[in-house]
Amino acid sequence: MGNQRISWGIAPIGWRNDDIPEIGAENTLSHLLSDIVVADFEGTEVGGFFPEAHVLNKELQLRNLRIAGQWFSSYIIQDGVEAATHAFHKHCEYLKEVHADVAVVSEQTYSIQGTGKNVFTEKPSFTGEEWDQLCQGLNELGKIAKQYDLKLVYHHHMGTGVQTLAEVDKLMQNTDPNHVHLLYDTGHIYVSDGDFMTLLNKHLDRIKHVHFKDVRQAVKDQCDKDGRSFLQSFLAGMFTVPGDGCIDFTKVYNKLLETQYSGWIVIEAEQDPSIAHPLEYALKARKYIDEKLLPLENGSLVKH
């Protein structure tokens, strides 16, 4: 790698989808991991279909791959902090066993991301009391993550109560920066707010994990017009890999380099693998990284 501080990964969601498990069900773990090697990425995130730690570790070692982290659905508002901490301990135990760096947390109370509701107009919101409960709970989860040598990174997400820049601002203001960090996702904030740089500039000091997700503007506009759900929108092809949509990742990458970001950048694009061939899109992302992003390091071409 040209820049040792940044690790490049690609998420399993291009091969198999946790929200709709039948999509890409034919893609085995071996297939997925071997494709990741072919596309020259250093690692991935844990998918819902991944096996127990010792099985996964062997498959990773055989291919010299690493695990960045894994999604955790928290229900702090719905079920209380105690129930969330119990589930989170188990989550972190597994992540420590597979030598991950981050635990990706998203509050799923009232979430519509897995429903048929219009993701553009029907997102939930939290009351003042619920915000207090969420922020206190996340502080607790962040302390637990630290016990396992992990960082809790909060994932702002379409269709949830923490989606917009204003909501991310509120979350950052009311959580402890020592325990609650931010996952910056270009695609989610762009679809939500039509802008991806403000969040990055505003919360650079809290960002400890990054998802590079591109957006097909025309598809997004059509989905918005049709009032589609989150699942319908990604099946329609709203998201794609960097270089295939409307987001200028050179701006994002320049800013991350400028501020000496250290950590993972994970390529993530919810798509239907029967339409968007996973390896083809992984290679497309790799080409964009090599040709457009890595040359930005020190202003000169860096060999991968």
Side-chain angles (χ1 to χ4, degrees), residues 76 259 292:
I76 293 166
T259 50
K292 303 285 190 210

Side-chain angles (χ1 to χ4, degrees), residues 208-235:
K208 301 296 178 195
H209 196 58
V210 174
H211 281 174
F212 270 14
K213 181 188 274 129
D214 212 339
V215 175
R216 294 185 178 101
Q217 185 74 47
V219 180
K220 181 231 167 220
D221 292 346
Q222 191 60 49
C223 289
D224 191 354
K225 196 177 154 196
D226 295 344
R228 293 195 175 199
S229 69
F230 181 72
L231 300 182
Q232 287 168 339
S233 297
F234 85 65
L235 287 175

